[in-house]
Amino acid sequence: MHSSIGTSLLVFASIFLGLVPALATPESGNDDFPAGDNDIISRDVAIIGGGASGTFAAVRLRERGKTVVLIERDDHLGGHTHTYYDSDGTPIDYGVWVYSDYPVSRSFFAHFNITLTTEFLNGNPEATQRVDFRTGQPVAPPVGNVVEAMTRYTQILLQYPYLMDGWDLPYPVPEDLLLSFQDFIEKHDLQAAIETLALYMQGFGEVLQLPAVYVMKLFHLGVVQGVQTGFLRPASRANSDLYRAAEGELRDDLLLSSTVAHIQRSAEDSGPQQIVVRTPKGQQRVQADKVIVTIPPLLGELENFDLDERESEIFGRFDNNSYFPAILRMSGLPGNGTQFVNKAPETPYNIAPVPSTHVFEPTASRDLWTAFFGGGSAPISSKQARQTILDNALSLRAAGYPISDPEIVAFRPHVPYALHVSSEDIADGFYRDLYGLQGYRNTFYTGAAFHSHDSAETWKFTENLLNERVLMD
């Protein structure tokens, strides 16, 4: 489950479980293909992007007897999975946190002999502090019956089970899915649940204006089930263990710190795909029968791809946000599991405007706190995000907490993040057109933009894509 999901789980649990019984960015340039055929990496499938879905695809294809090469711009696999180790060795995950308990989740960890534990996120609702991070002033909690509102929300989810499998929507698209999140809340009398649902959408910008379907895709039935019966997590409490194990297995099929310099894709069944990759050792030529793309399908991310008019028109319709998880060292805050949630008293439902820090969460280490900053769709630099996180933390002094000067000890930009389109585009068949690109020019797609910001969900989606398309075409 991705950081935007994981970071709000404690908040969700404290509000809901506490009350309810169990119910590859390419670099610029258009490099020519190296001459000659020496040192060509020739594989059945080339995978671009080594996050959750790309790593999973590489491991599963090798299990199925296919040869692969995995190209990743970072110096490690895992995408949005980040683990920080305190001075005493305590691991603190500040990206992906927990996973829905699906068979595909258990089998992926079992492949690497990683022991899992069940995580019950029972929080203390009385420990949640709602504060305006601009001023340090307290903000009143939401009113209404959260239990009843969440029950109504779950009943609505049950009407749209296909949202669990991707974006294979019916047409015309049901009205509920196209409503703005604010109109959806008001139509179904879910005001008491909006704090829970909105916190779950961290990183998605101005959430009240977002089409409701994006909320339903992220706070899905698997999350509801996990709240009741528990989520999965490595017993080590370090989610990065999965990807370090994958790096060891994929060693000879892995190009880290590498980006696509140029790609030349042939028409279907007319020859292999040619890719020039910039690696730390220089340019590397890759040849593959098929390509799987898992990086965000934005024009800026794909500028060195040989996109045609059809692909460019579809990918060019995406908008995106920015999201920055961090770990702060600061003393002076309560050690009883208190969470600090950002609120704005002048806005509808007190939802804090972006850019801002959504929440400060306690960790297993006494003076370390996770912070999750949402930048919205407007460009924002890492420097700006870091400074705003620090300023937001300092506001807690005005709330009466004698905190020390905060220090950011870990920080990761998730940019671009939360790709989305308008309700009008969804109604006009955007996702039907997007899915129509599967297999086009021997290229296949998976990742958050094609399903959800949720690791277990993308593994499930990727498994189906491999079985139904990649291994069949």
Side-chain angles (χ1 to χ4, degrees), residues 364-378:
S365 294
R366 178 67 179 84
D367 291 334
L368 292 181
W369 292 72
T370 51
F372 299 90
F373 178 93
S377 59

Side-chain angles (χ1 to χ4, degrees), residues 362-392:
T363 73
S365 294
R366 178 67 179 84
D367 291 334
L368 292 181
W369 292 72
T370 51
F372 299 90
F373 178 93
S377 59
I380 187 168
S381 68
S382 291
K383 180 180 180 180
Q384 290 173 296
R386 292 172 67 100
Q387 186 59 55
T388 305
I389 291 172
L390 293 173
D391 291 343
N392 290 162

Side-chain angles (χ1 to χ4, degrees), residues 179-250:
L179 292 174
S180 71
F181 182 43
Q182 183 168 359
D183 289 344
F184 177 82
I185 289 291
E186 293 173 357
K187 175 181 176 180
H188 295 287
D189 190 24
L190 300 176
Q191 289 85 349
I194 196 166
E195 180 177 82
T196 301
L197 297 174
L199 276 167
Y200 225 69
M201 300 302 296
Q202 293 175 39
F204 276 74
E206 300 291 349
V207 66
L208 290 179
Q209 283 71 55
L210 196 70
V213 64
Y214 288 105
V215 180
M216 300 166 76
K217 287 283 294 178
L218 195 56
F219 203 123
H220 51 75
L221 289 169
V223 174
V224 175
Q225 182 64 37
V227 168
Q228 298 179 52
T229 62
F231 296 91
L232 298 179
R233 193 176 186 186
S236 66
R237 294 295 194 271
N239 284 317
S240 294
D241 287 352
L242 175 66
Y243 296 97
R244 301 299 82 78
E247 287 173 17
E249 179 172 305
L250 297 170

Side-chain angles (χ1 to χ4, degrees), residues 97-128:
W97 193 7
V98 293
Y99 306 86
S100 295
D101 190 351
Y102 298 151
V104 69
S105 306
R106 289 186 174 273
S107 64
F108 194 33
F109 282 98
H111 176 85
F112 297 105
N113 297 314
I114 295 176
T115 302
L116 293 172
T117 187
T118 301
E119 187 89 352
F120 287 94
L121 301 173
N122 295 345
N124 176 8
E126 296 181 358
T128 299

Side-chain angles (χ1 to χ4, degrees), residues 7 20 52 88 98 105 129 203 209 239 245 298 312 315 334 355 419 436 439 454:
T7 185
V20 185
D88 62 359
V98 293
S105 306
Q129 298 296 314
Q209 283 71 55
N239 284 317
L298 294 169
S312 296
F315 295 145
L419 274 60
D454 182 319

